Amino acid sequence: MIGYRVKSLREERKMSISELSAKSGVAKSYISSLERNLQTNPTILVLEKIARILCIKVDALLNEQADKGMDEEWMEIMQVVMGSGISKEEMREFIQDRK
């Protein structure tokens, strides 16, 4: 179930519902309802917002085997990068320059 996956992934990342809500823009009450399987049909937009903050693909929320996500260290690095204001294009350029 999607709610179980959200809760499990959020807890793996040691993130509170409040933190996930603040970073994703999805209401705390909605995330709580989703995790308790009271809300069982989230929109793709909601799933995309949550998946982005959890650094996983939407497929990983829909299917446990779709993606095991990143290890915790990579997760932390990506959260710092995302919070720093670096654009995706700037990050791509940085990676290309290193090759």
Side-chain angles (χ1 to χ4, degrees):
M1 290 195 192
I2 295 170
Y4 173 77
R5 295 285 301 138
V6 170
K7 183 175 183 177
S8 175
L9 291 163
R10 177 182 61 75
E11 288 176 344
E12 281 177 20
R13 286 147 177 80
K14 297 176 178 33
M15 190 178 293
S16 68
I17 290 176
S18 295
E19 187 177 2
L20 179 57
S21 172
K23 290 181 177 184
S24 68
V26 177
K28 284 191 301 187
S29 60
Y30 190 90
I31 294 172
S32 177
S33 293
L34 185 64
E35 289 186 359
R36 291 180 291 136
N37 293 311
L38 300 175
Q39 175 55 259
T40 58
N41 193 22
T43 65
I44 285 293
L45 179 61
V46 166
L47 294 177
E48 287 173 342
K49 289 178 176 183
I50 291 171
R52 181 176 50 83
I53 300 307
L54 296 175
C55 295
I56 58 169
K57 297 177 184 175
V58 171
D59 288 353
L61 293 176
L62 302 173
N63 177 4
E64 186 172 356
Q65 300 305 315
D67 185 356
K68 292 298 182 184
M70 294 184 239
D71 69 36
E72 193 168 322
E73 186 177 10
W74 274 112
M75 251 287 295
E76 291 172 11
I77 292 167
M78 290 309 299
Q79 286 182 337
V80 168
V81 169
M82 289 167 55
S84 72
I86 296 173
S87 70
K88 290 178 188 176
E89 187 56 39
E90 290 171 323
M91 192 66 194
R92 284 187 189 102
E93 288 175 15
F94 175 79
I95 292 168
Q96 288 299 320
D97 290 344
R98 298 285 182 207
K99 288 184 178 180

